[in-house]
């Protein structure tokens, strides 16, 4: 064995030793692996995606791979409420937003909800090659700085809900929140649902007790994704939006608290065994 190989082996053992002892090092290492693996999952199947561009089915293989890599890193999810999904019509799917790891949640939901698409800021499109993969599986990119352009793009998706039975996935909080309460919801997704005279499908993900960005902790944890019954927007107008937003947020907040308590108990029990 050459000296160079010996040095590399020594560095590898040192890195493993540091990651094992330091929660901060482990936090950054796991997130680094998550980013790399996410890109690999998304970009690897691109040659196949080119055969049917802008098709939601292009994301099925990346989604499958993403769930497996998520488990490998310690982020495991149980999905409940599959019976509440009606694939015969489109709608708006709302999810609480906690971390970049929500990408794993999307991976679990994608094959369940049917003709799915997500809304992302336009900057993601230029993150080559990940942006290309997102475009190929039908991501709707909006320019948040241009309200007229964003509204026009979302209105087009309202038509897709009825014409293509599409399910548009939104994070209604608009930004990440890791507290005990959901952040205030923004109006965009509700505008789409009312414009389409369709349905809202609330989806609640339990709090990521295994993850703490402030304390730099990234442990293993069991989490719960619960798909709630649909909320009909048929007959509603823009005047009904405040009441609709309040109703849906209260519903999701109540479920978020219950699921978070349950997942905390499950994780505490697993630690004690």
């Amino acid at each position: 064995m050459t000296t160079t190989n010996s040095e590399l082996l020594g560095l590898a053992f040192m890195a493993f030793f540091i990651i094992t002892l330091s929660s901060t090092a482990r936090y950054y290492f796991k997130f680094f692996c998550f980013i790399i693996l996410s890109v690999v999952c998304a970009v690897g199947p691109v040659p196949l995606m080119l055969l049917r561009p802008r098709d939601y089915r292009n994301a099925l293989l990346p989604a499958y791979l993403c769930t497996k890599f998520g488990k490998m890193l310690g982020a495991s999810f149980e999905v409940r409420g599959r019976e509440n999904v009606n694939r015969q019509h489109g709608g708006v799917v709302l999810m609480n937003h906690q971390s970049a790891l929500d990408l794993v949640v999307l991976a679990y939901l994608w094959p369940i909800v049917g003709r799915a698409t997500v809304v992302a800021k336009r900057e993601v499109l230029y993150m080559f090659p990940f942006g290309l993969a997102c475009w190929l599986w039908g991501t709707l990119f909006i320019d948040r700085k241009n309200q007229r352009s964003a509204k026009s793009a979302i209105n087009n998706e309202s038509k897709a809900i009825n014409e293509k039975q599409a399910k548009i996935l939104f994070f209604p909080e608009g930004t990440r929140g890791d507290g005990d309460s959901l952040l205030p919801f923004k109006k965009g997704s509700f505008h789409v649902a009312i414009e389409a005279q369709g349905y809202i499908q609330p989806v609640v993900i339990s709090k990521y007790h295994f993850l703490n960005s402030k304390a730099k902790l990234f442990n293993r944890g069991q989490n719960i994704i619960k798909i709630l019954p649909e909320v009909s927007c048929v007959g509603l107008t823009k005047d009904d939006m405040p009441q609709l937003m309040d109703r849906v947020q209260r519903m999701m907040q109540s479920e978020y608290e219950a699921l978070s308590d349950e997942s905390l108990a499950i994780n505490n029990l697993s630690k004690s065994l």
Side-chain angles (χ1 to χ4, degrees):
M1 181 180 290
T2 66
T3 303
T4 301
N5 288 338
S6 298
E7 290 175 350
L8 290 176
L9 185 60
L11 288 173
F13 276 115
M14 184 180 297
F16 177 78
F17 182 72
I18 293 173
I19 291 169
T20 302
L21 293 183
S22 170
S23 61
T24 299
R26 185 163 59 250
Y27 172 88
Y28 285 112
F29 177 74
K30 280 193 167 186
F31 257 112
F32 174 78
C33 291
F34 172 73
I35 293 170
I36 297 300
L37 293 174
S38 296
V39 172
V40 170
C41 291
V43 175
V46 160
L48 295 175
M49 296 183 198
L50 292 171
L51 300 175
R52 52 184 185 192
R54 305 294 288 168
D55 192 313
Y56 81 98
R57 292 173 296 177
N58 282 334
L60 292 177
L61 179 55
Y64 173 79
L65 296 173
C66 188
T67 60
K68 298 304 179 184
F69 284 130
K71 288 181 180 179
M72 184 180 72
L73 294 174
S76 299
F77 292 85
E78 172 194 355
V79 181
R80 301 176 183 174
R82 296 170 187 261
E83 68 279 2
N84 292 320
V85 176
N86 187 337
R87 301 182 67 162
Q88 301 306 310
H89 59 241
V92 170
V93 179
L94 302 184
M95 302 162 290
N96 54 301
H97 190 16
Q98 301 181 72
S99 162
L101 288 178
D102 291 338
L103 182 63
V104 181
V105 176
L106 291 174
Y108 275 93
L109 291 175
W110 204 270
I112 296 174
V113 300
R115 292 180 175 271
T117 186
V118 294
V119 177
K121 57 185 180 181
R122 182 170 293 276
E123 288 79 359
V124 175
L125 177 60
Y126 305 114
M127 296 169 57
F128 187 84
F130 181 73
L132 172 62
C134 292
W135 182 85
L136 286 169
W137 64 58
T139 297
L140 170 65
F141 298 101
I142 61 173
D143 183 357
R144 292 180 177 176
K145 297 179 181 179
N146 188 330
Q147 293 297 321
R148 180 178 298 179
S149 174
K151 185 176 181 180
S152 175
I154 291 178
N155 283 341
N156 288 336
E157 288 304 303
S158 298
K159 296 178 182 178
I161 288 176
N162 295 318
E163 296 174 2
K164 299 180 180 180
Q165 292 77 51
K167 296 288 179 70
I168 308 177
L169 285 68
F170 284 93
F171 294 112
E173 296 165 286
T175 188
R176 302 171 190 173
D178 56 3
D180 295 326
S181 298
L182 303 181
L183 299 176
F185 285 179
K186 297 186 181 299
K187 295 180 180 180
S189 54
F190 294 90
H191 172 80
V192 172
I194 292 176
E195 185 76 16
Q197 290 292 287
Y199 296 85
I200 291 175
Q201 184 103 68
V203 175
V204 181
I205 304 97
S206 60
K207 185 175 182 179
Y208 293 162
H209 296 290
F210 70 101
L211 186 68
N212 189 317
S213 58
K214 294 180 180 178
K216 298 296 181 288
L217 294 176
F218 191 158
N219 299 316
R220 303 188 69 84
Q222 179 67 37
N223 309 280
I224 305 168
I225 301 170
K226 186 167 182 180
I227 305 171
L228 305 184
E230 292 180 321
V231 176
S232 175
C233 295
V234 177
L236 299 185
T237 67
K238 292 181 181 179
D239 293 335
D240 299 306
M241 189 179 297
Q243 293 82 1
L244 176 64
M245 292 175 65
D246 181 67
R247 175 188 173 191
V248 173
Q249 177 142 15
R250 287 178 180 273
M251 180 191 307
M252 293 180 67
Q253 176 65 41
S254 176
E255 199 64 50
Y256 177 66
E257 293 172 2
L259 293 179
S260 297
D261 288 344
E262 182 180 352
S263 67
L264 178 61
I266 292 173
N267 289 312
N268 286 340
L269 179 62
S270 64
K271 289 178 183 178
S272 64
L273 296 178

